[in-house]
Amino acid sequence: MILAIESSCDDTSLALMQINNKKLIFHKKISQEIEHSIYGGVVPELASRLHAEALPKILEEVKLFFNDIKAIAVTNAPGLSVTLNEGVMMAKALSIALKKNLIGVNHLIGHIYSLFIEKEEISPLMVLLVSGGHTKILNFFDVDEVCEIATTLDDSFGESFDKVSKMLNLGYPGGPIIEKLAKNGKDIIDLPLPLKNSPNIAFSYSGIKNAVRLEIEKNIYKKEDIAASFQKKAIKHLVFMSKRAIKKFKPKNFAIVGGASANLVLRSEFEKLAKEFNFNLLYPQMEFTSDNAAMIARAAIKMYKKGLFTTYDKLEIKPKVTFKSC
Ligand code: KG4
Ligand code: ZN
């Protein structure tokens, strides 16, 4: 089996997955949401220290499987350099001690493989990736063959939820908080639809965020209505740009992945799109939408089968990554 380690942001997670049948044997995650909540976002130094505490704790629980491990996989890009480093250092130490191959996994590719946990891979696939750090539309062909159709010019989708939540003094992570609040609100505030007059396929969330800030300062709307109006427009922007990509590339399969793919309003809007454009819509199981090591293990199995290994002296941390454009 493969041992996978994830520490790119604020979740410490380890997973063990069987190579031949992709069965998830062990999966544990220690989240730091409470610790970062008072700051309204992730504090890298604090995150790094918490990973250093949590990683060996979880490792204790997988020690009895050490003899069955064929390779060590770890997220090495993209993410916060100080937190990626914690997982990568442990992976390197384990690869030396256990004399096993090392596999460096791109976290974004990991999110795509969250679709395939205990399942067969589906490709080609158009992917809308919506997380705290990224908002992208990608074309996925294989674990080492992904191209980028669109990305954000500024904030990400998830980040804009975090920032709106912070402006309303509601805590972190903002996504689930805003989604819940919006259920009791109405879409009555006229917020701008970003980039609607631009011909490009791209995202931008800083404009909506600033418009929300101005509406909050007016002090006339209920928090619920602000949440509902913001969420509606933020999702409309995703749908608007995804439509352009769908018209251009005509995918048979379309997936939504990343932490924000847990949003049920977002899912239902894309269900409508799936009917309109006749594509097969996929998303991960709820428990694998946010950061986890199971998706890293699943991507690593494909890399293992393709012989995409590295060694402890070569594996580098890359806080930022780029994909070739489609
Ligand atoms: O993928 P993820 O767990 O971590 C990163 O790789 O960034 O995504 C976390 C992001 C946060 O910004 C969080 O607010 C957002 O996903 N998120 C949501 C929802 N659940 C999590 N955004 C909107 N609606 C949600 N239900
Ligand atoms: Zn993520």
Side-chain angles (χ1 to χ4, degrees):
M1 51 182 100
I2 283 185
L3 171 65
I5 304 166
E6 158 65 40
S7 70
S8 66
C9 191
D10 60 345
D11 295 292
T12 315
S13 181
L14 259 63
L16 281 168
M17 195 174 276
Q18 218 136 37
I19 296 169
N20 55 358
N21 59 7
K22 291 128 197 155
K23 208 169 151 28
L24 189 58
I25 304 297
F26 173 91
H27 181 225
K28 184 150 185 183
K29 168 163 151 170
I30 298 179
S31 180
Q32 309 173 355
E33 280 169 5
I34 293 164
E35 286 87 344
H36 296 293
S37 186
I38 49 165
Y39 304 103
V42 179
V43 181
E45 282 305 321
L46 173 61
S48 160
R49 188 164 57 72
L50 293 170
H51 283 302
E53 278 172 28
L55 281 167
K57 253 189 222 159
I58 311 181
L59 189 68
E60 273 299 310
E61 298 183 40
V62 298
K63 261 182 162 172
L64 69 163
F65 295 101
F66 272 3
N67 285 335
D68 305 317
I69 292 170
K70 293 276 179 286
I72 319 282
V74 62
T75 305
N76 69 318
L80 300 168
S81 56
V82 290
T83 66
L84 285 168
N85 202 36
E86 295 297 331
V88 166
M89 292 305 272
M90 190 169 87
K92 287 185 177 186
L94 283 169
S95 102
I96 296 168
L98 303 175
K99 297 190 178 65
K100 296 298 166 195
N101 281 315
L102 206 49
I103 301 175
V105 180
N106 177 314
H107 181 80
L108 306 184
I109 309 267
H111 272 301
I112 299 177
Y113 276 81
S114 69
L115 297 163
F116 312 135
I117 291 166
E118 303 199 324
K119 288 187 189 137
E120 288 307 317
E121 186 172 319
I122 294 172
S123 73
L125 180 66
M126 183 177 281
V127 181
L128 173 66
L129 175 99
V130 273
S131 69
H134 300 271
T135 303
K136 289 181 185 296
I137 304 177
L138 304 166
N139 269 334
F140 165 83
F141 302 96
D142 202 342
V143 73
D144 55 348
E145 209 190 327
V146 172
C147 64
E148 186 173 294
I149 299 167
T151 190
T152 178
L153 307 174
D154 41 63
D155 293 347
S156 79
F157 179 79
E159 189 181 6
S160 70
F161 277 70
D162 296 336
K163 288 184 177 167
V164 167
S165 176
K166 194 177 177 181
M167 289 190 265
L168 293 170
N169 291 316
L170 296 172
Y172 172 86
I177 298 169
I178 296 290
E179 184 181 1
K180 194 166 165 219
L181 199 65
K183 278 189 195 152
N184 299 315
K186 288 198 191 75
D187 171 29
I188 52 168
I189 311 170
D190 189 24
L191 298 167
L193 181 66
L195 305 176
K196 70 164 189 259
N197 297 320
S198 147
N200 300 334
I201 312 178
F203 297 105
S204 169
Y205 280 98
S206 65
I208 302 196
K209 176 193 67 189
N210 288 327
V212 169
R213 187 193 307 279
L214 295 175
E215 296 300 337
I216 293 171
E217 281 167 5
K218 286 184 192 164
N219 235 334
I220 50 174
Y221 296 112
K222 287 194 302 175
K223 284 184 176 185
E224 288 81 357
D225 294 340
I226 292 168
S229 306
F230 159 70
Q231 175 172 263
K232 182 91 186 188
K233 216 29 94 49
I235 292 173
K236 193 169 180 187
H237 180 39
L238 288 180
V239 171
F240 184 86
M241 289 300 172
S242 298
K243 249 186 189 174
R244 284 189 179 172
I246 290 161
K247 282 180 184 162
K248 187 169 171 189
F249 292 93
K250 301 182 177 60
K252 283 202 179 69
N253 301 300
F254 186 98
I256 314 173
V257 304
S261 69
N263 189 300
L264 295 178
V265 182
L266 166 63
R267 289 186 178 201
S268 77
E269 287 303 317
F270 276 83
E271 302 275 3
K272 290 182 204 161
L273 218 56
K275 284 207 185 90
E276 186 182 341
F277 290 93
N278 195 26
F279 57 76
N280 179 23
L281 181 63
L282 298 90
Y283 12 69
Q285 276 174 258
M286 272 302 174
E287 62 172 312
F288 301 122
T289 54
S290 59
D291 292 350
N292 65 83
M295 68 187 195
I296 303 303
R298 182 62 186 85
I301 287 181
K302 190 66 190 292
M303 293 179 76
Y304 181 92
K305 289 187 172 160
K306 297 191 86 176
L308 298 169
F309 301 114
T310 183
T311 50
Y312 65 85
D313 54 330
K314 293 210 179 69
L315 182 63
E316 282 177 19
I317 288 160
K318 297 196 190 90
K320 291 206 157 52
V321 292
T322 50
F323 295 105
K324 63 176 193 294
S325 55
C326 297

